[in-house]
Amino acid sequence: MNLGPHAAFIVTAYIAATAIVAGLIGWIVLDRRRLSRILDDFGAQGISRRSTRADADKW
Amino acid sequence: MSLIDLANPSRFLALTARALPWLAAATVLAFAIGITEVYFAPDDYQQGATVKIMFIHVPAAWLGVFAWIVMSAAALGTLVWRHPLADVAAKAAAPIGAAFTLMCLVTGSLWGRPMWGTYWVWDARLTSVLVLFLMYLGVIALWRTMDDPAQAARAAAVLTLVGAINIPIIKFSVDWWNTLHQPASVLRLGGSTIHPAILVPLIVMAVAFTLLFVTLHVAAMRNEIMRRRVRTLMMLQAGARMGP
Amino acid sequence: MTALCALFIRDLRLAVRVGGGALIGVLFFLVVVTLMPFAIGPDLGLLARMGPAILWLGALLASLLALDRLLATDHEDGSLDLILTARVPLELAVAVKALAHWLTTGLPLVVSSPLLGLLLNLEAKASGAVALTLLAGTPALTFIGLIGAALTVALRRGGLLLAILVLPLTIPVLIFGVAASNAAIAGPVPFGAPFGILCALTLISLVIGPIAAAVALRQGLE
C-alpha cells in the first residue's frame, strides 16, 4: 500500500488513535483489578453490605 | 430480560458479566473487517492517501457526540427517576466520550497539517469539537470535585442537559462566527460527495467504534458500581469502628 | 526539615486527590485561550503574533484562580493555626506551601502551554520560548500571590479582593515574560536581556513573598 507523501501523518494518526483506545482499556482494566482486590479484602474481613444480607436493592 | 431487571445493580453486574465477552469479541471482529476495508479503500483524487485518516476521524467525532447523547439520557434518568444506575451510566460515559473527542481532535489536526499546512485552523467544525471537548472536561472536573456521588450525579446531570441544549447553539454561533471572517485559502473538507468505495469502510468503522464505545461503557459502568460498593463498605467500616 | 518535608508531601497529596483541583487551573487556561480567537477572529497570522501575550495572560489568570486555595483551606480546617504555632519558621513553612502549590498548579500550565501554542499557530520555536519564560515566570506569580493569599486569608470572601491586590503586583512579570517571548520570536531586543530581568523578578519574589506572607499571617491571625 502506498500512502503517498504524507505517510508519516497517517501512521501517526492511527498510532495516536490506538494509544488513546489502549489508554482507555488499560485504565478500565487496572481500575477493575484495584477495586475487586479491595472488595475481596473487605470480604476476607467479614464486612458485607446490608443488601447482601437483606433487601437486594440497596447499594 | 426487561429494563427493570437491568435497573438493579446486582442483576446488571450478573447480566453484563455474561454479555461483556461477546461484546468485546464483536468489537474485535468489526475492527478486523473495518481495518481490512480501510486498507483496500481507494485514495481520494484530491487529498490522496490522507483520506485514510478520515476512517478514524469521522467515527471518533460521531462517538464524541453520541457519548454526550448517552450522558443526556442518563441525566434524565438521574433527575426524573433518581435512579443510581443512571448516575453510574452518566459518570462512566464522560471520560470515554472525552477520549473519543480528543481522538477526533488529534487525528483532525494530523490531517490538517498536510492539507492546510498547519496543525490547527479555527475552522467551524474543529472549533465546535474543541468546545465539546472543553465541556467534557468540565463535566469530568465536576464529578471529581464532589465527594458525595449522588450529589455529584445531580449536579453533573444538570450541566449535561444544559450542555445538550447549548451545544447546538454553540455550533450555530461558531458557524456564524466563522463565516463572518472565513480565511480564504482553506480547503473545505467533505465538500464533495462521498464515493461508495469510501463510504462502505467508513460505515463499517463507525459500527466498530460504536461497539467499542458500548463495550467500554459497560465495563466502566461495572467498575463504577464496584467503586460505590467499596465506598459503602468503607463507610460501614468507619461506622462500625466508631459506633457501639 | 522533616516537618517541612511532611508539609510539602501533605500539600501535594491534598492537591491531587478528589476535590483538590490541581488540574482545574490547566482547564481554565485551556478555556481562556480557546475563547480568545472568538473575540479576535480566526486570522492565523494575527493569532500567531498575539500568541505569547494570550498565553501569558491565560497563565496569569489561571494561576490567580488557584490562589485562594493556597492558604484558605488550611485556615478553614485549622491546620494553618498549627503551622503558625509550630517551631518551624513560618517563612519557610509558607515557602514550602507555595512551592507545592506551584508544582501542582504552575508547572501544569508550563507543560500545557506548547499544546495551546499549537492552537494559536505558534511555531515550535515560539512555543518553546513561551514555555521557557512561563517556567521562569510562574514561580514569581505564585510567590507574589502568596502575599495576597496571606493578606486575605481571614476574610470570608477574599477571592475578588485577592485578585485586585495581586494583579497590579504581577505587571512586571507579565511585561518581561511577554517581552522575552517576543524577543525570542522576532524582536530586535536579544532574548537574554528581558529573560534575565524575568529571572531576577522571580528570585526577588522567592525571597520577599514568604517574608511578607509570614508577617501578614502573624498580624492577621493574632
Side-chain angles (χ1 to χ4, degrees):
Chain A
M1 183 170 55
N2 178 23
L3 288 178
H6 306 300
F9 290 104
I10 301 170
V11 174
T12 315
Y14 273 84
I15 291 175
T18 316
I20 290 173
V21 172
L24 268 179
I25 294 174
W27 164 63
I28 288 173
V29 169
L30 288 180
D31 201 24
R32 169 161 189 80
R33 282 217 192 120
R34 191 180 62 87
L35 288 168
S36 51
R37 204 177 48 236
I38 298 174
L39 278 181
D40 288 347
D41 284 354
F42 274 117
Q45 286 172 35
I47 302 166
S48 65
R49 295 172 305 129
R50 206 172 349 134
S51 54
T52 44
R53 299 196 293 262
D55 62 328
D57 273 326
K58 275 286 176 187
W59 284 84
Chain B
M1 185 187 92
S2 70
L3 216 59
I4 302 291
D5 283 340
L6 264 181
N8 178 301
S10 297
R11 284 197 202 123
F12 177 85
L13 281 182
L15 272 174
T16 50
R18 264 181 289 157
L20 207 52
W22 293 100
L23 273 173
T27 308
V28 171
L29 185 69
F31 266 106
I33 300 173
I35 298 284
T36 324
E37 292 256 4
V38 167
Y39 189 85
F40 291 112
D43 290 352
D44 188 81
Y45 73 98
Q46 207 177 3
Q47 306 187 20
T50 50
V51 78
K52 294 233 186 298
I53 297 179
M54 182 184 74
F55 298 118
I56 43 175
H57 174 72
V58 171
W62 141 244
L63 277 169
V65 176
F66 180 70
W68 196 281
I69 296 172
V70 170
M71 274 166 55
S72 308
L76 277 180
T78 297
L79 290 179
V80 178
W81 293 287
R82 300 260 162 138
H83 201 289
L85 203 62
D87 304 1
V88 168
K91 187 175 180 191
I96 305 175
F100 278 113
T101 313
L102 178 68
M103 190 193 291
C104 177
L105 287 172
V106 171
T107 54
S109 68
L110 282 168
W111 195 4
R113 176 72 197 179
M115 290 298 104
W116 298 323
T118 162
Y119 283 106
W120 185 265
V121 290
W122 291 87
D123 167 75
R125 292 185 201 198
L126 285 169
T127 309
S128 305
V129 175
L130 179 62
V131 174
L132 180 66
F133 183 59
L134 291 178
M135 308 254 323
Y136 270 119
L137 293 185
V139 169
I140 295 172
L142 187 59
W143 273 110
R144 284 184 49 91
T145 339
M146 291 197 191
D147 276 333
D148 179 27
Q151 195 191 355
R154 260 167 271 146
V158 172
L159 181 62
T160 308
L161 287 177
V162 170
I165 298 166
N166 238 323
I167 285 172
I169 300 176
I170 294 171
K171 174 94 177 80
F172 166 78
S173 35
V174 167
D175 280 345
W176 187 84
W177 165 79
N178 199 258
T179 45
L180 199 66
H181 26 216
Q182 172 74 49
S185 63
V186 169
L187 174 69
R188 304 295 299 171
L189 288 178
S192 55
T193 50
I194 301 175
H195 192 269
I198 285 179
L199 188 63
V200 171
L202 182 61
I203 289 174
V204 176
M205 283 301 269
V207 171
F209 267 78
T210 312
L211 279 170
L212 176 65
F213 173 80
V214 173
T215 311
L216 291 176
H217 189 214
V218 167
M221 278 177 75
R222 292 167 56 83
N223 281 356
E224 212 48 57
I225 292 174
M226 285 166 76
R227 199 188 322 282
R228 294 192 168 202
R229 297 201 161 162
V230 166
R231 190 183 137 83
T232 316
L233 287 175
M234 279 181 167
M235 289 174 116
L236 273 178
Q237 192 182 33
R241 275 196 193 134
M242 278 195 292
Chain C
M1 202 60 216
T2 43
L4 288 178
C5 273
L7 182 65
F8 183 67
I9 291 167
R10 165 186 173 272
D11 272 24
L12 285 186
R13 280 217 184 119
L14 279 179
V16 294
R17 72 174 279 284
V18 171
L23 292 174
I24 299 276
V26 177
L27 194 52
F28 181 79
F29 190 28
L30 180 59
V31 174
V32 167
V33 171
T34 309
L35 281 187
M36 286 294 177
F38 290 116
I40 297 167
D43 181 357
L44 288 180
L46 185 63
L47 284 176
R49 235 174 306 137
M50 300 180 69
I54 294 175
L55 287 178
W56 256 95
L57 265 181
L60 176 61
L61 294 177
S63 67
L64 187 73
L65 188 76
L67 277 180
D68 66 335
R69 305 187 71 92
L70 181 50
L71 295 172
T73 43
D74 277 358
H75 182 242
E76 276 161 24
D77 67 12
S79 44
L80 193 61
D81 295 327
L82 288 179
I83 294 170
L84 269 169
T85 53
R87 229 173 296 150
V88 183
L90 185 58
E91 287 81 0
L92 285 181
V94 288
V96 162
K97 281 189 72 63
L99 188 64
H101 184 81
W102 178 77
L103 273 180
T104 51
T105 59
L107 198 57
L109 297 180
V110 177
V111 173
S112 62
S113 66
L115 203 68
L116 298 182
L118 217 60
L119 290 182
L120 296 173
N121 197 33
L122 286 184
E123 314 240 320
K125 190 181 151 218
S127 281
V130 174
L132 187 63
T133 53
L134 280 177
L135 182 65
T138 43
L141 300 181
T142 303
F143 277 82
I144 293 171
L146 177 65
I147 307 172
L151 285 169
T152 54
V153 68
L155 307 176
R156 220 165 338 126
R157 287 208 175 74
L160 210 54
L161 182 62
L162 175 60
I164 296 168
L165 294 181
V166 168
L167 277 180
L169 298 175
T170 58
I171 290 173
V173 182
L174 184 66
I175 289 176
F176 287 101
V178 176
S181 319
N182 280 332
I185 298 165
V189 199
F191 176 68
F195 189 68
I197 299 176
L198 180 66
C199 292
L201 287 173
T202 301
L203 290 176
I204 294 171
S205 69
L206 285 183
V207 177
I208 292 181
I211 295 175
V215 173
L217 280 180
R218 287 207 192 90
Q219 301 296 319
L221 296 176
E222 286 286 292

